[in-house]
Amino acid sequence: MCPNDVRELEDMNLIPDELGGNKFMCNGNMTDLASAGNWNKKDGGETDE
């Protein structure tokens, strides 16, 4: 769920898209899904496998 999904269920005002209201996050330190694996990438963008 994105933050706006929860806010809609709670009858709260929605967060604008430009502030991340519809950005999907993964658990942990609330990292967005597009950046979830970046901690494992080297400078060239390749993973350490």
Side-chain angles (χ1 to χ4, degrees):
M1 296 180 84
C2 68
N4 278 339
D5 290 339
V6 176
R7 293 180 71 85
E8 188 172 344
L9 291 172
E10 297 293 330
D11 293 324
M12 298 173 71
N13 293 333
L14 300 180
I15 301 169
D17 283 341
E18 56 271 6
L19 296 177
N22 291 316
K23 184 178 278 189
F24 289 91
M25 309 285 190
C26 62
N27 196 2
N29 60 355
M30 296 305 288
T31 302
D32 65 270
L33 293 178
S35 302
N38 287 345
W39 64 271
N40 194 30
K41 292 184 179 178
K42 293 183 178 183
D43 292 335
E46 298 177 8
T47 58
D48 188 26
E49 294 180 12

